[in-house]
Amino acid sequence: MALTHPDVPHHVAIVMDGNGRWATRRFLPRIAGHKQGVDSLNRCVRACLERNIGVLTVFAFSSENWNRPPEEVSGLMELLALSLSREVPRLNAQGVRIHFVGDRQRLSERVQAGLLQAELSTAGNHRLIFNVCFNYGGRWDIAQAAQKLASRGEAITELSLDRAMALAHVPDPDLLIRTGGELRISNFLLWQVAYSELHFSSKLWPDFDDAALDEAIAFFNTRERRFGQTSAQVNAPDKKPNARIA
Ligand code: IPE
Ligand code: IPE
Ligand code: MG
């Protein structure tokens, strides 16, 4: 049963952690956990659509994940290529627009072409914006934004940096979920989570189901978002706090 709470977060970001442990517990190779993770992601996209969430941003491969054993890295690259060809028709049928966020230069030309093709073929969809962070790091994002401004000779301000970031096409996440039990950010959206509500789930990502998502949304709805103001200010009629940079 989908939640119908009016305060469903507009933008949900997820660190999809725990695939490796899910597989190891079943005496399976780690890549089997990553494959199961793709199924869990498909289910999560459908759940976001059912709940009228506007933006879903997921962490699929970090700048630091290159440091894993070469066979796991190549397995993840193959899984990305395979998922692109398999899932794009479904995303189109669901009205989902996909964006890949991260440094593409280190990816093979074939994968880069696949990412672009997926973005172009879903560009007309409006039901859900789906950002897949791949070869992404929060530090990379801040540095690339600053480099972009410097190369244009533009002043570096909070607003100009914000507009040069890789997620400038969406508002900041309202809710950040991390599965897998770790209480850390691991270089995900460092700039954009300044005022996100943080929810840590002990479920491993392949086990993260609709009920777990609803639990995270219910948690979100218990929070009072003050953005630096006092509770009295936030609750005054006609006052809506907002962390966006003016
Ligand atoms: C997250 O799951 C997926 C990626 C980092 C690609 P992990 O592979 O980190 O799973 P654990 O943390 O080892 O269980
Ligand atoms: C974060 O998970 C990256 C992704 C989920 C893609 P990690 O498993 O890489 O994070 P650490 O190494 O435990 O911090
Ligand atoms: Mg992990």
Side-chain angles (χ1 to χ4, degrees), residues 16-21 30 65 68 178 182 184:
M16 308 183 291
D17 195 24
N19 295 345
R21 277 164 284 168
R30 290 177 59 87
N65 287 148
R68 293 193 175 194
R178 180 174 184 140
E182 308 294 354
R184 56 181 176 245

Side-chain angles (χ1 to χ4, degrees), residues 27-39:
F27 307 102
L28 295 169
R30 290 177 59 87
I31 195 69
H34 296 310
K35 285 183 184 150
Q36 199 68 27
V38 175
D39 290 349

Side-chain angles (χ1 to χ4, degrees), residues 3 5-14 44-45 47-58 126-131 167-177 195-197 213 216-217 220-221 225 227 242 244:
L3 273 187
H5 197 288
D7 293 332
V8 68
H10 176 68
H11 183 175
V12 175
I14 308 182
C44 185
V45 167
C48 288
L49 286 163
E50 287 167 1
R51 285 154 184 75
N52 283 327
I53 287 166
V55 184
L56 173 66
T57 300
V58 297
H126 302 289
R127 282 196 64 209
L128 175 72
I129 295 179
F130 178 33
N131 300 308
L167 277 181
H169 58 288
V170 288
D172 290 343
D174 299 293
L175 171 63
L176 172 73
I177 300 168
Y195 273 100
S196 306
E197 302 300 330
L213 178 64
I217 295 171
F220 174 78
N221 284 316
R225 308 189 74 194
F227 300 103
N242 190 336
R244 290 301 285 176

